[in-house]
Structure formats: C-alpha cells, structure tokens
Amino acid sequence: ADTAVHLWDDNADGYVARAWTWPDQRSAEANRDWLQATRGYRKRLRSGEAEQAKRPLALALAMRAWTRTARDTWHMAGGIAVQQTLQELQLAIQESSEASRLDDGLPLALVTEALASAQHAEVFKRMGRPSDPAPALRAADLAVRKFPNFPPAHYARALVLTGLGDARAAIRDLTEAVRQDPTFGDAFALRAVLHAARTLCGEARSDLEKAKTLLGDVSRLGEVVRQSCG
C-alpha cells in the first residue's frame, strides 16, 4: 500500500489499502488516507468512471465521516474546542449522507449519519442550546430497520435514545448490539453509564470491566460510573 501511494499520488485504491492498516480508524493517519481516497475517487467520477467509482467513493466518504465522530460522547471536546467539534460532526453528517445517496446498501453510511447527528445534538445540549433530535432518530431507526444484524446500528440508536432520556430503550439496543458482537467495547461502555445512571451498580461495574478489557483505558468512563455507584 505504501509503495502504491508513493508511486501514484492519486491512487485512491492504494490509499484505501493503507487506510485499513491503521489500528485506530479515528487516527490522523487514517483520516488523511481516507481523505486522499475520496479525492481520488471523485477525480475518477468526474472522468466518466461513474459506475466503477461510486461505491468505492461511498465507502471512503463513510469512513472519512466515521473518523470525525467521537468514540463516545464523554470523549467529545469541550471548551474552546467545541466549535471545531461541531464543524467536524457537521461534515460527518454531510459526508455520510452523500455516501448513502451513492450506495444505499452501505450500512456504515447510515449508521455514521445517525451517530454524528446524535453527537451533534449532544454538543448543543451541553452548550445549553436547543437542538432537534428528529434527524438523528430517523437515521438511527432506518439503520436498524435496514440493517438489523449490524451491531453499530443498534449502538447508534442507543446513543440517540440516551440523548432523548430513554435509558430503557437504549439499554435494549445495546444489549442486542453486544449479543450480536460480544467484542463491541463501546456498547458495553455506554451500557455501563446507563446502568450507573439507574443505580444498577452491579451491572454497571460488570460492563465497565468488559469495556476495560476490550478498550483499554476507560478511566474517564470509570469516573462517570463512580459518580453514581461510588
């Protein structure tokens, strides 16, 4: 992949191949490679290769959008970085929406649109500004209906439902997500927070341990759980 990228700077396939090699798909390196891939596929689209470039472009856009989202809402930047966070999430919504138009059978595009919309609404909520949760909920509901066996779809809807204050429904979606994928650390992490908020401390600590095993450093998550459960 490195050789292809160095030999042909506009080789979109080479950037995709290298992007997949990064362990953290939200890293700056992965972000740059997905950006270069989208540029390469757009160039091919303009040159008349529409059918060959549409689906790869949709995937590159969806992954580019995914790199802009936060792993979880408690990792989102605050303070002076909040405007940059909002801009990144707005771009994620636009990119994932475009990806869905290019390939409506791509689960990641719809899920990322729901996730970014939910996080965007959460930032507005933290700023004390009104936000409309309807777009995020529509996208999440559609993602679950179209892709019921795709665990991130259930996770995305759980995040939206959490923002709406419906912890019970959110926990149901998270439980389905980890049933389908027992290695889904982010789902265990969010469920730990929701259990703690409902003072279901045994369940919260159990999910916290699973999240720690799967994700590594969850110290900030631990603080959230301890605030409710000691």
Side-chain angles (χ1 to χ4, degrees):
D2 280 333
T3 302
V5 165
H6 288 309
L7 288 176
W8 301 284
D9 189 48
D10 63 347
N11 184 349
D13 296 335
Y15 282 108
V16 169
R18 191 171 70 177
W20 284 125
T21 67
W22 300 113
D24 182 2
Q25 283 297 308
R26 289 186 173 90
S27 67
E29 294 84 0
N31 187 298
R32 282 195 296 269
D33 280 343
W34 287 117
L35 173 61
Q36 291 299 112
T38 61
R39 288 174 174 169
Y41 288 128
R42 285 191 192 284
K43 184 176 179 181
R44 284 161 64 171
L45 204 63
R46 289 193 297 270
S47 69
E49 298 181 44
E51 290 309 310
Q52 299 95 321
K54 276 176 66 175
R55 294 187 71 182
L57 175 57
L59 176 61
L61 280 166
M63 287 303 301
R64 169 79 169 153
W66 179 260
T67 68
R68 296 183 189 276
T69 62
R71 172 164 282 121
D72 287 296
T73 53
W74 53 85
H75 285 108
M76 290 193 297
I80 60 174
V82 71
Q83 289 301 327
Q84 182 179 355
T85 300
L86 285 171
Q87 290 170 6
E88 287 291 301
L89 291 171
Q90 187 60 50
L91 286 169
I93 293 168
Q94 293 170 4
E95 288 168 342
S96 54
S97 178
E98 182 182 356
S100 287
R101 290 194 299 272
L102 288 166
D103 182 358
D104 62 4
L106 182 63
L108 183 64
L110 200 53
V111 168
T112 303
E113 183 179 356
L115 182 64
S117 297
Q119 291 183 347
H120 192 275
E122 176 65 18
V123 174
F124 266 66
K125 181 179 175 182
R126 291 184 186 184
M127 296 170 67
R129 294 167 59 181
S131 63
D132 181 8
L137 187 58
R138 279 197 301 270
D141 280 340
L142 183 58
V144 171
R145 286 200 304 274
K146 288 187 69 173
F147 311 109
N149 297 316
F150 188 56
H154 293 279
Y155 173 78
R157 188 166 68 176
L159 192 60
V160 176
L161 292 167
T162 298
L164 292 171
D166 193 346
R168 287 178 181 272
I171 288 172
R172 283 197 297 271
D173 264 323
L174 293 168
T175 299
E176 178 60 19
V178 299
R179 185 193 69 79
Q180 293 182 15
D181 180 4
T183 67
F184 199 162
D186 290 343
F188 281 114
L190 181 54
R191 196 171 69 170
V193 170
L194 294 174
H195 281 321
R198 301 180 66 208
T199 61
L200 298 172
C201 295
E203 292 89 336
R205 293 190 184 101
S206 175
D207 279 349
L208 178 61
E209 285 304 310
K210 289 171 183 171
K212 183 177 180 180
T213 299
L214 294 164
L215 299 175
D217 181 14
V218 292
S219 54
R220 293 182 68 180
L221 171 61
E223 292 172 12
V224 173
V225 172
R226 281 192 294 274
Q227 287 175 1
S228 298
C229 293

